[in-house]
Amino acid sequence: MKLSTITCALLGLASEVAATALTYKLVANEKACFFATTKKPNEKIAFYFAVQSGGSFDIDYEVTGPDGNIIMDGQKERQGDFVFTGKQIGDYKFCFNNEMSTFAEKFVDFELAVEDEARVSIPSKQGSSPEQTSALEESLFKISMQLSTVTRNQKYFRTRENRNFSTVRSTEKRIVNFSLIQILLVIAMGALQVFIVRFFFQAGLRMLTYLTTQGARKGYV
């Protein structure tokens, strides 16, 4: 009976939250917008994003309310985690702007969640006291908060891993490009040395031939 009560409470909690998690690739000079809809006034809206790879791992963002007013914005931010109250009913627009990049494309992980601020009451078992039900409810909400903390930590470590991996790939490409340039320079220097040596030998041979020809003419005369 206790297990079924906890299950019902968790299902009630899940029904009060609508979340969307996506990974989106922003090409250079692109602006992409996404929407979250509130059905009741004063609902909580959670907004999280992190640039996983591309450029300097930064992006411009802007959050606009249903009335068109800007709620929050930022320039060249690597990641953000915000929670605000949607006082109006309607569509809230979340935009990412990569117009500052000339050629770099960027991968952005983001999550939008809309949840009702009111707590869901746990169905009480017959014969149980309100204190027991309240204690169980508080335990469930503590578990929910701890799970949220674990999820945020996982997102943070995933972001760090992706950024480090992107840095390693970028460094690898630079090393390969530098090695190729160095090989081409060595080949070019070798060819230039061969050309210079041949030029001096050919010039000396021409001079020797000219002097020999002139000496032969003078001896004949």
Side-chain angles (χ1 to χ4, degrees):
M1 182 65 181
K2 184 176 181 181
L3 180 60
S4 63
T5 303
I6 295 176
T7 304
C8 292
L10 290 176
L11 290 175
L13 287 173
S15 65
E16 293 297 315
V17 179
T20 301
L22 293 172
T23 299
Y24 187 80
K25 181 176 76 172
L26 277 169
V27 299
N29 299 317
E30 181 185 2
K31 181 179 181 180
C33 295
F34 305 87
F35 296 86
T37 303
T38 58
K39 298 180 180 179
K40 299 178 183 178
N42 298 323
E43 285 187 324
K44 292 292 184 180
I45 302 176
F47 172 46
Y48 166 84
F49 74 91
V51 182
Q52 301 294 335
S53 63
S56 300
F57 307 103
D58 55 358
I59 201 74
D60 297 342
Y61 71 92
E62 182 180 274
V63 180
T64 308
D67 55 357
N69 293 327
I70 297 176
I71 298 175
M72 63 179 70
D73 60 355
Q75 288 77 37
K76 296 184 177 180
E77 297 287 344
R78 293 191 168 192
Q79 66 183 65
D81 194 355
F82 312 99
V83 177
F84 62 93
T85 301
K87 297 181 179 180
Q88 298 177 339
I89 300 175
D91 294 332
Y92 288 80
K93 185 168 65 173
F94 302 82
C95 294
F96 298 104
N97 193 340
N98 194 29
E99 294 179 352
M100 60 182 172
S101 297
T102 305
F103 58 88
E105 59 183 24
K106 299 175 181 179
F107 286 87
V108 182
D109 275 358
F110 68 95
E111 181 177 353
L112 303 176
V114 179
E115 59 180 290
D116 196 345
E117 198 170 16
R119 288 190 174 186
V120 180
S121 59
I122 298 177
S124 58
K125 185 174 64 174
Q126 186 176 4
S128 62
S129 62
E131 291 79 9
Q132 292 176 341
T133 304
S134 179
L136 179 59
E137 184 179 5
E138 290 298 328
S139 299
L140 287 174
F141 277 101
K142 286 181 181 179
I143 293 173
S144 177
M145 292 178 62
Q146 291 174 356
L147 287 175
S148 177
T149 302
V150 171
T151 303
R152 293 175 188 274
N153 289 334
Q154 287 178 339
K155 290 178 182 178
Y156 171 76
F157 287 119
R158 180 187 175 190
T159 301
R160 289 290 300 273
E161 180 184 5
N162 290 336
R163 288 177 180 174
N164 291 337
F165 185 68
S166 178
T167 302
V168 169
R169 285 189 299 178
S170 176
T171 305
E172 181 182 1
K173 289 181 181 179
R174 292 179 183 179
I175 292 175
V176 172
N177 293 335
F178 180 76
S179 300
L180 292 176
I181 293 174
Q182 194 173 22
I183 291 172
L184 293 176
L185 286 176
V186 170
I187 294 174
M189 290 180 63
L192 182 62
Q193 290 176 354
V194 171
F195 174 77
I196 292 174
V197 171
R198 288 186 61 184
F199 175 77
F200 279 118
F201 271 105
Q202 289 177 356
L205 183 60
R206 292 194 191 99
M207 182 63 67
L208 181 61
T209 303
Y210 175 76
L211 292 176
T212 302
T213 303
Q214 292 296 327
R217 288 179 179 178
K218 289 181 180 179
Y220 176 76
V221 175

